Amino acid sequence: MILKRTRLLLTAFGMVLWGVEVGIPSVAESADATNVVVKDFKFMPTPLTVKAGSTVTWTNKDDDVHTVVSDTGAFKSGAMDTNDSYSFKFDKPGTYHFTCSLHPRMVGTIVVQ
Amino acid sequence: MSDESLLSRRNALKCMAYGGAGTLFALSGGVLAPIDLAMAAADSKGAAKLGRPLFVQISDTHIGFNKEANPDVNGTLTQTIDIVNGMADQPALIIHTGDITHLSKPAEFDTAQQLFTRLRTTEMHTVPGEHDTSDATVTEYFNRFGKPSGNKGYYSFDHAGVHFIGLINVLQFKPGGLGTLGADQLAWVAADLKGRSSSTPIVVFAHMPLWTIYEPWGWGTGDADQLLTQLRRFGSVTVLNGHIHQIVQKVEGNMTFHTARSTSYPQPAAGVGSGPGPLKVPSDQLAAMLGITSVSVVKHPSALALNDTALA
């Protein structure tokens, strides 16, 4: 409850809330993390474990273009330029491997529970 | 943009306009003899021996790229086109070895095609790079350039007694990252070469290197050996690629392998840094790291000469 009240208070400050949450993630938030950063020709974190029904978002933080392509064809982004994002909702539990089709040595895994 | 950066960009473009110096490679009997281009130009008789330019290779134009490594790729492609248009003897063909665009966007292809119309040489042959086939449906490149290959990406044609083979190695990747030609394409090459005289000069062009330059960055083609085996009986084979945005070459028997510079941005040498991304260099050094390759007939039909020209 204390955490909830803190959040409500901070919401009034807009950007402050963002800064605080990114800077000091609570335990609950890190368990729900569904973001993959693409940087220095790597997907991070990998493997990433999420709950069924979660939407995972990949964001490209490199100067080069990257893609996210599932090994089984379950999902495929277009070309992502710097700061572009791609999201996919994982409804079914399972292990999903993916690569960057432009740099196929870049590999990652999403585990859906 | 500040006045200062406008000024430095203007200077960079001015420097590019001088065109010029590079290294020229005369190929005779499979042996490359490097000749300084400035020397060749000074010795007009020597330059004349190099023969008529058969074609010019343009690569990795990356229209749509706008990052610090080159905020004006349209400008550097225009400079490249000016250099080609300024050649005393116009090449019969232009070959583009892929990564025409950066993100496979329709607007990027439109801009590229608009710029290409400025070339005095109107016959252009292309193969796609992985940046041209990165749209989710892989249709933009083929809608525009797919006709010669029936949308397969590989095709051949003859010009001036030389047999040209364009190949695609960016659609499937081997685990680990090397490009792939695939069984269908390799079988097509075998049929295409069947019955062809071994004295026919062959030019093979594809985007990714058809020889392994640096495996950890995927700078090679996993099943290229099955292609090269088919080409070994020919007396003159020239293999041209792009992808790595820098000149790397080797000679093996009668085969000459050569990767071209990009017209957009340089990339690091193999293994330097975290990956093969755009290399930022001071703006006054950029033009010297961009350029084209021109290929001439030296002793027709037995030998071709490769000539690299930087934008500055």
Side-chain angles (χ1 to χ4, degrees), chain A residues 30-46:
Chain A
S30 62
D32 288 341
T34 54
N35 292 310
V36 178
V37 172
V38 191
K39 188 158 173 55
D40 293 332
F41 293 80
K42 289 185 185 80
F43 294 109
M44 294 177 288
T46 186

Side-chain angles (χ1 to χ4, degrees), chain A residues 63 65 81-82 101-102 104-105, chain B residues 67 102 130 134 173 176 216 280:
Chain A
D63 265 358
V65 181
D81 204 356
T82 309
S101 66
L102 302 176
R105 287 190 76 89
Chain B
K67 301 295 181 297
H102 196 54
E130 76 284 2
S134 62
F173 287 96
K280 290 167 202 158

Side-chain angles (χ1 to χ4, degrees), chain A residues 40-42 62-65 67 76-82 84 100-105, chain B residues 67 102-103 130-131 134-136 138 173 176-177 215-217 265 274-278 280:
Chain A
D40 293 332
F41 293 80
K42 289 185 185 80
D62 261 346
D63 265 358
D64 211 358
V65 181
T67 66
K76 182 182 182 182
S77 77
M80 300 194 297
D81 204 356
T82 309
D84 282 354
C100 164
S101 66
L102 302 176
H103 310 100
R105 287 190 76 89
Chain B
K67 301 295 181 297
H102 196 54
L103 299 164
E130 76 284 2
H131 282 259
S134 62
D135 50 325
V138 199
F173 287 96
E215 203 270 338
W217 284 0
Y265 56 84
S274 62
K280 290 167 202 158

Side-chain angles (χ1 to χ4, degrees), chain B:
Chain B
M1 193 180 276
S2 70
D3 284 354
E4 197 181 334
S5 64
L6 263 176
L7 195 68
S8 67
R9 183 169 159 258
R10 194 176 298 139
N11 280 342
L13 290 174
K14 201 166 116 195
C15 288
M16 288 175 207
Y18 292 117
T23 308
L24 177 151
F25 295 91
L27 170 64
S28 184
V31 179
L32 275 174
I35 304 166
D36 186 86
L37 191 61
M39 276 172 61
D43 172 13
S44 59
K45 280 181 186 170
K49 280 180 204 158
L50 299 171
R52 193 173 59 84
L54 180 63
F55 66 91
V56 162
Q57 178 191 7
I58 294 177
S59 201
D60 295 87
T61 44
H62 283 264
I63 297 304
F65 180 83
N66 56 12
K67 301 295 181 297
E68 200 182 337
N70 182 359
D72 187 18
V73 293
N74 293 1
T76 48
L77 175 55
T78 301
Q79 293 296 321
T80 304
I81 290 169
D82 288 345
I83 288 172
V84 177
N85 285 346
M87 289 170 73
D89 292 311
Q90 284 294 286
L93 317 166
I94 307 289
I95 286 182
H96 194 307
T97 44
D99 284 358
I100 295 166
T101 67
H102 196 54
L103 299 164
S104 309
K105 288 182 180 170
E108 296 174 347
F109 278 112
D110 291 348
T111 301
Q113 286 183 296
Q114 209 170 354
L115 290 169
F116 294 152
T117 60
R118 292 188 62 252
L119 282 160
R120 286 169 63 194
T121 301
T122 53
E123 186 172 342
M124 180 186 269
H125 299 270
T126 68
V127 284
E130 76 284 2
H131 282 259
D132 297 319
T133 54
S134 62
D135 50 325
T137 53
V138 199
T139 49
E140 294 298 340
Y141 171 84
F142 290 102
N143 285 345
R144 291 166 172 81
F145 299 99
K147 205 176 169 188
S149 68
N151 289 337
K152 286 182 179 141
Y154 51 88
Y155 60 106
S156 67
F157 61 93
D158 292 280
H159 182 86
V162 177
H163 188 60
F164 291 82
I165 303 174
L167 300 176
I168 180 167
N169 54 1
V170 297
L171 287 189
Q172 315 154 267
F173 287 96
K174 288 261 180 203
L178 297 174
T180 305
L181 293 163
D184 288 354
Q185 186 168 207
L186 288 163
W188 172 85
V189 171
D192 183 71
L193 293 174
K194 197 179 176 188
R196 212 168 283 280
S197 162
S198 295
S199 64
T200 309
I202 306 281
V203 172
V204 178
F205 59 102
H207 178 65
M208 290 177 71
L210 288 163
W211 45 302
T212 301
I213 294 174
Y214 190 59
E215 203 270 338
W217 284 0
W219 287 1
T221 302
D223 52 1
D225 277 353
Q226 294 173 60
L227 168 75
L228 303 180
T229 303
Q230 300 185 38
L231 294 168
R232 289 222 162 82
R233 71 178 173 91
F234 290 89
S236 167
V237 178
T238 306
V239 180
L240 301 175
N241 305 116
H243 187 59
I244 66 169
H245 297 214
Q246 60 196 293
I247 296 169
V248 176
Q249 58 193 347
K250 74 163 179 173
V251 177
E252 203 179 279
N254 292 333
M255 286 190 222
T256 301
F257 298 80
H258 187 94
T259 60
R261 288 189 180 106
S262 157
T263 72
S264 54
Y265 56 84
Q267 286 193 348
V272 179
S274 62
L279 180 68
K280 290 167 202 158
V281 297
S283 60
D284 60 346
Q285 289 172 26
L286 176 62
M289 301 180 82
L290 307 178
I292 53 167
T293 303
S294 69
V295 179
S296 306
V297 178
V298 179
K299 253 194 308 181
H300 186 74
S302 60
L304 302 179
L306 277 64
N307 174 2
D308 290 302
T309 303
L311 297 193

